Amino acid sequence: MSLKYDILKPEIGARVYLDRAGIGNPQVAQQLLELLETHTVLVFPGIDLSDGEQLALTDALGGRINIATRIAGLEREKTAEVYQVTLNEGAAIEKEYVLGTFFWHMDGLTVDVPPPKATVLSARHLAPKGGQTEFASTKAAYAALAEDEKAEIAGLRVLHTVTASLRELMPPGALDAARRTLRHEHPLVWTRANGTQSLVIGSTADLINGKSQAESRALLARLLDWTVQPAFTYRHNWSHGDCVVWDNTSALHRVLPYAVDSGRMMHRTTIAGLESVA
Ligand code: OGA
Ligand code: MN
């Protein structure tokens, strides 16, 4: 049995025709994991998963993790297994956190667990304007660097902080204590056990070990510009019921701005990471 799929762009993105009845099938899961490794972003058009089905898909691909429970001080009801990513009034996730998704990032880099392997996002309510999600392959971007550029960044380590990721939204002092202290250092180039290599960058990247602030921010900005060039990116224009799974270890993502009153509602689950950045 083999899933049908179309390649969206040579470096990133595939549209996969998954029948929801196949979610629990181990062979299907195996093929999805292979497609995810190769194409980084998998789109399941209009699959219209229930929360239960989304959790089953999440578990089939490696098991769920709740990143929010790693953050001390968050209330229990804010750490539901299926996150509602929305700017709607009274939403459980903090508004600042959601506004932070407007900027290129990887999920879960500042908490003390291996970065999530993948993120699963389902469209429940679309914004009339904006709200497309963009993905950039940090794997393709690293592979395409010139050898001297790879040599220049080999062995470097980057401090990732929540304060850096919210830099565009608020002064660092305005951040609550639980978040202000969230930080984690990672190698700039992640070499996986299977040999895959990618850049570990994005809005949480704050400083490079042993470099001045100016030098490290300039290098991080240059690598980000390189990574988000059109050849390495895919923009998803959501339709109702679409589900997208992306390899969080090999891609950055961001959402195009949408209004607070847009009604946009996405349901998100997270697949646990197995490997620390090394
Ligand atoms: C997130 C995220 C993107 C989107 O929830 O971590 O980046 O399109 N969401 O809402
Ligand atoms: Mn995200």
Side-chain angles (χ1 to χ4, degrees):
M1 173 189 189
S2 192
L3 291 168
K4 283 208 177 66
Y5 64 94
D6 308 319
I7 291 170
L8 294 168
K9 288 182 79 174
E11 296 289 4
I12 186 165
R15 185 190 297 116
V16 184
Y17 302 96
L18 173 68
D19 183 337
R20 51 148 63 75
I23 288 173
N25 180 327
Q27 279 159 283
V28 169
Q30 188 52 40
Q31 201 190 344
L32 288 175
L33 288 171
E34 285 163 19
L35 288 171
L36 191 62
E37 179 68 27
T38 309
H39 299 287
T40 308
V41 175
L42 304 182
V43 175
F44 305 108
I47 190 169
D48 210 13
L49 298 180
S50 67
D51 282 349
E53 288 166 331
Q54 181 166 339
L55 285 166
L57 177 63
T58 306
D59 290 339
L61 298 180
R64 63 187 88 163
I65 182 181
N66 191 332
I67 310 179
T69 57
R70 319 295 306 190
I71 306 171
L74 276 194
E75 292 160 41
R76 214 162 177 277
E77 61 267 28
K78 289 185 178 173
T79 62
E81 298 225 83
V82 178
Y83 265 125
Q84 301 196 341
V85 182
T86 182
L87 286 169
N88 290 351
E89 190 81 38
I93 309 192
E94 294 91 317
K95 192 175 165 201
E96 290 71 27
Y97 177 83
V98 179
L99 293 173
T101 65
F102 290 9
F103 303 91
W104 288 112
H105 67 282
M106 289 165 59
D107 291 334
L109 285 186
T110 57
V111 291
D112 207 10
V113 289
K117 173 173 174 50
T119 306
V120 185
L121 203 59
S122 293
R124 293 307 185 97
H125 196 276
L126 305 179
K129 192 164 171 291
Q132 299 90 340
T133 309
E134 296 184 318
F135 304 91
S137 172
T138 50
K139 180 166 70 173
Y142 178 76
L145 284 174
E147 287 310 315
D148 63 323
E149 291 171 305
K150 287 184 184 172
E152 190 195 327
I153 62 173
L156 294 180
R157 296 181 65 82
V158 198
L159 180 68
H160 288 260
T161 67
V162 170
T163 32
S165 70
L166 300 181
R167 180 195 280 151
E168 317 292 348
L169 313 177
M170 57 162 88
L175 207 58
D176 60 277
R179 290 181 183 279
R180 210 179 307 140
T181 53
L182 280 176
R183 51 182 50 223
H184 208 81
E185 199 182 276
H186 299 286
L188 178 56
V189 179
W190 185 355
T191 304
R192 248 87 83 210
N194 69 4
T196 300
Q197 290 185 294
S198 58
L199 297 167
V200 184
I201 53 175
S203 62
T204 52
D206 201 352
L207 289 173
I208 294 180
N209 235 347
K211 288 193 185 285
S212 69
Q213 178 163 320
E215 260 189 309
S216 38
R217 296 252 171 103
L219 176 56
L220 290 166
R222 195 159 60 83
L223 291 171
L224 185 64
D225 287 349
W226 172 256
T227 302
V228 303
Q229 62 180 286
F232 307 145
T233 60
Y234 166 69
R235 176 186 292 181
H236 188 64
N237 264 311
W238 294 94
S239 292
H240 184 79
D242 285 357
C243 175
V244 174
V245 179
W246 68 90
D247 181 344
N248 183 60
T249 66
S250 293
L252 291 163
H253 60 284
R254 72 172 176 186
V255 61
L256 297 195
Y258 52 95
V260 176
D261 61 358
S262 69
R264 186 180 191 267
M265 169 65 74
M266 311 296 282
H267 283 196
R268 188 187 76 186
T269 52
T270 307
I271 299 172
L274 301 172
E275 279 185 63
S276 294
V277 182

